[in-house]
Amino acid sequence: MKVSVVGTGYVGLVTGACLAEMGNDVLCLDVDPNKIRILEEGGIPIHEPGLDAVVARNVKAGRLAFTTDVARAVAHGTIQFIAVGTPPDEDGSADLQYVLAAARNIGRLMTDYKVVVDKSTVPVGTADKVKAAIADELSKRGSDAKFAVVSNPEFLKEGAAVDDFMKPDRIVVGAEDEQAILLMRALYAPFGRNRDKVLVMDVRSAELTKYAANAMLATRISFMNELALLAETMGADIEHVRLGIGSDPRIGTHFLYAGCGYGGSCFPKDVKALIKTATDEGHDLKVLKAVEAANDHQKTVLVDKIAKRFGADLSGKHFALWGLAFKPNTDDMREATSRVVISELFNRGATVTAYDPVAMEEAKRIFGDEPRLRYAESPMDALKGADALVIVTEWKEFRSPDFDRIKAELKTPVVFDGRNLYEPALVKASGLDYAPIGRAQP
């Protein structure tokens, strides 16, 4: 099948590469010539494990190509994926200008039947706006070319996106056009050889499904984080509670880990957008507002613990910080807890040396030439001259450190752990004070 993908960001590039991997002829379009240059030179503009190999393999095979030529991209694919950014507006709503611009380009240049697929995370009703934009452009030039608009939301986890796309739990297709449904089933058939994973539904239900899924996962995280703070106050252990409730099959084990708050490009944006959508429709989503407020508070918990130990004024104090990305296996720092922790430490007069396996370049872009923030070449290098260690991201390389060396390097033997990486008794036995979130202390 000939497929065009508009946007070579996180969703677009993974979508294009994985569809090419299954034998499709894919052309990826981006208006950013720098991104296309990087891709044509064999680079990858985002950090996603395994993606570089999939891209290289399919470029070499001639199934995957990149362009900045809009007309070429519109002419190429019968199926046109729109996978551009939908950044939040100031009021929390999703900004659809790039989605609608892509739709208008398709309507302006198409000459035959197209299936236009909304892959970006968009509010309910966006497909109607996309359909209207394309129809308007066709009308302007008196064209009677036929088209269908489909909602096909992505359910990719950053850090595991290639595996998620190649082995999906479900493939949601929102469509009414029978020919479009047939084409989408054919496109995705290789991804569900053992069972049919395609769930066909109406467009609006498909659009809402994506927001509902992310909102549910965010709710589980905030619920556990609030319970962790309660457990800490009452002398209970949130890890024991997690195991106790997670063994109930009605609840399950996923997204029950307490920590210092969620971040990234999806959960915060999608929760805000769903709240705004509901407000516009006259509904007050009280649960989701609480989820958002709980998460905002959770991002400050580590600094509150630090202030409790060292005092509210941290002037002259220096902290080692392990982890900058919002989660492991990505360099994404959008809405990352590290940004809140670093800024709060600065506000209290402290300085920071940070280490992250892949996100330090992104941190330099965000913080610029901030003199109070330095970067280390290794986790242990970050400890030099530090008063305490603060852990914000649960990278694997942080899971089994040399506690004796940590104690020797720190001025004060204390670890503030925002991801509950260690057993409290083990850390205590090494002579370190340990401040996790919601864990009972021995």
Side-chain angles (χ1 to χ4, degrees):
M1 251 183 221
K2 288 196 169 186
V3 177
S4 295
V5 180
V6 184
T8 60
Y10 173 74
V11 174
L13 189 56
V14 172
T15 298
C18 291
L19 288 174
E21 181 79 351
M22 287 301 190
N24 296 290
D25 181 3
V26 180
L27 179 62
C28 291
L29 166 74
D30 205 292
V31 295
D32 184 347
N34 189 50
K35 273 188 181 179
I36 297 301
R37 178 186 58 77
I38 291 170
L39 288 162
E40 288 182 331
E41 291 175 355
I44 301 289
I46 59 174
H47 178 86
E48 183 59 43
L51 182 58
D52 53 351
V54 179
V55 170
R57 185 162 57 245
N58 286 283
V59 168
K60 185 177 180 181
R63 293 187 297 264
L64 181 62
F66 306 99
T67 186
T68 57
D69 185 341
V70 176
R72 179 187 169 198
V74 173
H76 176 83
T78 300
I79 299 179
Q80 301 267 326
F81 280 93
I82 298 178
V84 296
T86 54
D89 274 342
E90 288 182 11
D91 62 0
S93 62
D95 185 348
L96 296 178
Q97 63 171 310
Y98 305 112
V99 170
L100 296 178
R104 287 194 172 278
N105 282 335
I106 294 168
R108 184 166 52 85
L109 297 166
M110 62 182 278
T111 57
D112 55 1
Y113 179 75
K114 301 290 182 187
V115 177
V116 181
V117 184
D118 285 335
K119 197 69 176 171
S120 304
T121 300
V122 293
V124 176
T126 298
D128 293 338
K129 294 178 180 178
V130 167
K131 187 175 182 179
I134 296 171
D136 182 54
E137 291 296 330
L138 290 171
S139 175
K140 284 179 183 176
R141 56 193 182 91
S143 173
D144 61 355
K146 304 300 181 186
F147 70 97
V149 177
V150 171
S151 174
N152 174 220
E154 53 84 15
F155 299 98
L156 308 177
K157 298 186 295 291
E158 288 193 48
V162 173
D163 201 45
D164 284 348
F165 198 102
M166 300 301 288
K167 302 171 185 176
D169 299 315
R170 76 289 203 197
I171 299 163
V172 173
V173 173
E176 280 87 35
D177 184 277
E178 288 301 322
Q179 186 176 354
I181 292 170
L182 194 67
L183 286 169
M184 294 299 288
R185 282 193 180 279
L187 181 68
Y188 280 119
F191 297 91
R193 299 283 292 179
N194 60 336
R195 64 176 177 88
D196 184 9
K197 297 178 180 178
V198 175
L199 303 175
V200 177
M201 59 186 72
D202 64 277
V203 174
R204 285 182 170 244
S205 293
E207 290 171 331
L208 184 56
T209 295
K210 168 63 177 181
Y211 279 113
N214 278 352
M216 173 62 81
L217 296 175
T219 299
R220 287 169 70 98
I221 294 170
S222 280
F223 175 75
M224 289 304 290
N225 283 339
E226 291 220 294
L227 277 190
L229 300 183
L230 177 62
E232 203 169 278
T233 303
M234 300 178 71
D237 192 318
I238 196 62
E239 272 297 289
H240 296 166
V241 175
R242 178 183 69 80
L243 294 170
I245 65 174
S247 59
D248 185 332
R250 296 171 301 173
I251 297 172
T253 58
H254 297 298
F255 288 83
L256 294 182
Y257 290 89
C260 51
Y262 62 76
S265 62
C266 295
F267 288 4
K269 175 173 72 72
D270 293 353
V271 168
K272 278 185 171 67
L274 188 51
I275 291 170
K276 178 62 169 62
T277 297
T279 301
D280 290 346
E281 295 293 329
H283 290 276
D284 183 19
L285 296 184
K286 298 179 180 66
V287 171
L288 279 192
K289 286 182 178 179
V291 167
E292 186 176 45
N295 190 59
D296 289 342
H297 174 257
Q298 200 71 17
K299 291 181 178 182
T300 68
V301 166
L302 279 176
V303 177
D304 290 343
K305 288 177 177 286
I306 293 168
K308 187 175 180 181
R309 175 63 183 260
F310 291 101
D313 184 357
L314 298 174
S315 299
K317 297 294 182 184
H318 181 70
F319 295 94
L321 186 132
W322 285 2
L324 291 162
F326 85 93
K327 62 182 272 187
N329 300 321
T330 181
D331 61 351
D332 194 343
M333 287 183 63
R334 283 174 286 186
E335 302 282 346
T337 298
S338 63
R339 298 174 68 159
V340 175
V341 170
I342 291 169
S343 296
E344 284 296 312
L345 289 174
F346 287 167
N347 290 340
R348 293 173 181 267
T351 55
V352 175
T353 295
Y355 170 78
D356 188 285
V358 301
M360 290 194 289
E361 287 303 313
E362 178 66 7
K364 290 173 185 175
R365 186 190 68 79
I366 291 167
F367 288 101
D369 297 325
E370 171 55 63
R372 295 169 293 183
L373 178 60
R374 300 197 297 270
Y375 301 93
E377 295 183 0
S378 71
M380 290 301 169
D381 184 46
L383 301 176
K384 293 174 182 176
D387 288 281
L389 168 61
V390 185
I391 301 173
V392 182
T393 312
E394 63 274 34
W395 285 97
K396 285 182 179 177
E397 66 183 271
F398 302 157
R399 291 183 181 274
S400 299
D402 183 338
F403 289 116
D404 291 335
R405 188 173 169 193
I406 291 175
K407 182 186 176 186
E409 292 282 3
L410 294 175
K411 291 180 182 177
T412 310
V414 58
V415 176
F416 299 94
D417 183 0
R419 298 299 174 189
N420 291 348
L421 294 184
Y422 316 121
E423 278 301 316
L426 180 64
V427 183
K428 289 275 190 178
S430 301
L432 286 160
D433 286 346
Y434 186 49
I437 294 177
R439 299 298 312 272
Q441 297 290 347

